[in-house]
Every structure is written in structure tokens, then in C-alpha cells.
Amino acid sequence: MALTHTEGESNRSAARARWQAGQDHDPSRDLLARDADAFLHQSLSSPCVLTIARAEGIWIEDLAGRRYMDFHGNSVHHIGYRHPRLVAALKAQLDDLTFSPRRFANEVAVELAERLGQMAPGDLGKVLFTTGGSDANEVALKIARAATGRFKTLSFWDAFHGAGFGAASVGGEATFRSHIAGPLLPGAEHVAPFHCYRCPYGHAGPENCGLACANMVDYVLGREGDVAAVIAEPMRAVPVVPPPGFWAAVRAACDRHGALLIFDEIPTGLGKTGRDFAFQHDGVIPDIVTLGKALGGAMLPIAAVVARRDLDICGDFAIGHYTHEKNPLTARAALTTLDILREEGLADRAAELGRRAMDRLQTALAGCAHVGDIRGRGLMFGVEIVTDRESRSPDPARAEAIYYRCLEAGVSFKISAGSVLTLSPPLVIEVADLDRALAIVESAILEG
């Protein structure tokens, strides 16, 4: 059975085959062939599209010396690649303490936990580190089970929360939860997500829908009666911005029905949307928030769970128990990344540059019949490609053709939800580079 992969462009499509056939740099072709031969193949990963030899700032350079502005970066590159301050901090840490067994306290890990607790609003203050976002979300689910005595979850179709069995169960993408992924966790209930441009409830827009999407969350929580947690991305990274009032309504529904609210901020947190946390745009505070990706500064893998202080109730159980749970190297990477984000004012910069980018795209593409929607927050924004504006039918083939035209011109990004050009540059990007990249994207879209 063929699947529509909504998490990114396909690595098995005809367009990919044409791209690969056109690559004429022998060392690059050889490395790509070795990669394909050595690694297990999986959708959205191996076989790879390009080689990489160097990465610095917003730039990736391949073996042939061709440079690409990276507007994807797996959402890790908020501070850019190889930030000199982070390089220096890690070199110094290598000369100090390089590993800490779990049951030994070390200064740098404790300082990081304290810093995250200080950053997070409300009573979010108790922390656990994991090596990846999927694990962080599963830790959050275990805490919710312990706190409520329930096991069910409610989440959204089309959401991504990781590739582990638990994270895939609460996720909503067929690529990660169908066929070989099953059977999944019992009790993982789903509802349609908020999406004003493609309202699954058939409403024309947020001005007349009565927040049907939020009402359905309330309805299911009431019908089930024993849901432990609602887990969701506060802003969907495809990207989709929630309608005004959505999260306030869901927060109230969770409180009314005794469910915790878990926000997965792994791609959207740490300044990307113009605030430390994406949920701060919507005036709500979750019971647990998970962070990752950019937390390691595009150098080391680390993720975090930040929970309300009164949810520190799992002391008799192992809810993480990761070998590198308190690794001083990864903690130093995260601490330094947080310092850079704060001291360079990168969240405010993302808000300012994001407004500039959205205004430019909306002006440049206003008359394009194949652009259905332009949306986003901060430096996470996207252009949805459609066959025509009236039908709003997604046009994955056109989106993929645009993607390869942009790649050829030196801009790399990700296609989300089949046909959304998802643009997520580092927060350190210069205005001139942002404008240059947007001009390439605009030209590729307008070409047809």
C-alpha cells in the first residue's frame, strides 16, 4: 500500500531520481552510493539527497563546494551551525568533565535544569533530560499516567511527536504509525487538528466556526471520561497557527475533565516563533512542556521535560533512566545555547524577521494562482502549493518541483503536509541572506 508521506519530500519519487541522475560530481555520487549501501533505508532519510562537507552559520557546503542556505536544519540550528562560542564552550568542557553517571550530581547539568525552570512560566520547574524528543514525550506521558491514574491520551491527526512506539501512538502521521509500526499503545485517541485553511469540520474560517476543533477536544474528553493527557504541538510545525482562543478553550476543557495538557515544543520552542515558547503567544501554560532539537545548539543531542513542580511524583519508578541523562557535555551545549539565544536577543530577532518575511511573501505571491496560503510565526513560516485557489487541492508534484528548483539555486528547506514549502531559517540569518533566499523561493514558485 502506497503512503502519502506528509513529513517531507519523498526520497523515492521520480523527481528525486531525476535530481540524482543530474548530479555530475563523482566524489558526491560515490559518497551517496556508499551511504545508501551502508545505512538501512527508510522514508525521509537514506537514500540521501546531497552530501555535506561543512556547515557554518546558515550555510551547508557539499563535497563539490556548492553552498546552500539551510531553511530546514531538522529544527536544530536556531543559533546557526558551528557557533564559535559554543565550539569554545565544548572544547573547555572536554578538558573538564566529559561524563557523569546518572546518580552523581554535576554542576553543569544542575545549572541547566535550574535555568530551564527559571525560563518556563508559571509553576513549570522540575526537569528531566533525555537524548531525544521522542523519549521526552514518552517521559511526559508516563508522568501524566502517574498523576492521573489513567492511561488514555488525546492528540491530533497529522501531528508528529517522535518515532518511538509511544510517541508514534500519540502522533498522527501514517508514515510513523501505520503498517510495521503496529500494534500501537491502547487508549491513544485522536481528533482532527486545528487548521483554518483546511478546516476538517468544513467551516469557512475562524470568524464563524465557534472553535469547532476545540469543542471536539472537550467533547471527547467528556465522552471518554478518563483521559490522562492531551498532548499537542502548540503551533503545528507544518506550519499551522492555532486560531485565537483555541488553546484557552482546550486548557479549560482539560481542567474541567481532569486531563493534563502537554505541549511538545521540540521544533517550535527556544525563540523560533518569536517567544521563548510558542504557547506564550496564546496566553496559556501547560502542565508539562517538552523541548529538544535546537537545545543542543546543532552540535549535540539533548531534550528536556519541564513539568509542574507538584508533578514530581514518580520517585519510586524509573521514567527515563537514560545513560546520558546528566551528561555534562550535552548540558554544556544546552546552557551555552540558552546564553546565546538570550544575549543575542534571538527570539525578538525571529519575531522581527518573521514579520518581514511574511509581508514580503504575501506581497510577491499575491497574484499566484498556485499559492493557497502563506502562514507562520516568527522564523517558522510556509507557503502552501495548490492546483488552484478555488479548489484548494494540494499539489505535491508542483511543490516538489519547486523544492528542487530552489535546491539547485542554493536554498534547502522541507516540504510538509505533502505540499507546504516549510521555511525555517536560523535565527542568526542576516537580512540580506533572508531576502536573497526569499527571492529564490518566490522565483521558483512563480516559474510555474
Side-chain angles (χ1 to χ4, degrees), residues 121-139:
D123 197 35
L124 293 168
K126 294 303 290 269
V127 177
L128 187 70
F129 300 130
T130 72
T131 52
S134 182
D135 292 330
N137 284 329
E138 294 191 5
V139 167

Side-chain angles (χ1 to χ4, degrees), residues 191-270:
V191 293
F194 57 83
H195 197 331
C196 293
Y197 181 69
R198 296 192 176 282
C199 178
Y201 300 97
H203 294 287
E207 64 282 348
N208 58 15
C209 70
L211 288 177
C213 45
N215 293 338
M216 184 56 71
V217 173
D218 183 48
Y219 176 82
V220 174
L221 290 177
R223 293 289 288 179
E224 290 292 318
D226 60 351
V227 172
V230 172
I231 179 169
E233 306 155 290
M235 170 186 150
R236 295 173 58 203
V238 276
V240 177
V241 177
F246 175 84
W247 284 120
V250 171
R251 172 77 273 183
C254 288
D255 294 342
R256 191 160 47 248
H257 297 292
L260 298 189
L261 179 59
I262 301 169
F263 276 153
D264 176 348
E265 289 264 15
I266 291 160
T268 59
L270 304 176

Side-chain angles (χ1 to χ4, degrees), residues 50 52 54-62 65-74 77 80-81 360 403 405-414 422-426 428-441:
L50 285 170
I52 181 170
R54 279 167 290 280
E56 189 161 4
I58 69 166
W59 297 94
I60 282 174
E61 185 176 322
D62 69 13
R66 292 170 296 212
R67 301 176 78 216
Y68 306 85
M69 288 182 273
D70 191 358
F71 275 47
H72 175 205
N74 294 109
H77 63 348
Y81 292 116
R360 172 174 175 149
Y403 164 77
R405 282 198 289 270
C406 291
L407 201 57
E408 186 67 36
V411 178
S412 173
F413 55 82
K414 171 184 170 182
T422 302
L423 307 169
S424 183
V428 295
I429 190 169
E430 297 292 341
V431 172
D433 288 327
L434 177 61
D435 286 343
R436 179 182 167 196
L438 293 177
I440 289 171
V441 174

Side-chain angles (χ1 to χ4, degrees), residues 314-366:
C314 301
D316 290 334
F317 307 95
I319 56 174
H321 206 65
Y322 298 102
T323 300
H324 289 270
E325 183 179 306
K326 295 182 179 179
N327 187 297
L329 278 173
T330 57
R332 177 61 65 195
L335 260 179
T336 306
T337 297
L338 295 178
D339 287 341
I340 292 166
L341 288 165
R342 182 188 64 221
E343 293 167 21
E344 296 187 11
L346 294 184
D348 289 342
R349 196 164 191 279
E352 178 185 349
L353 293 182
R355 285 191 293 269
R356 177 190 181 93
M358 290 280 286
D359 288 345
R360 172 174 175 149
L361 288 170
Q362 286 167 348
T363 299
L365 302 175

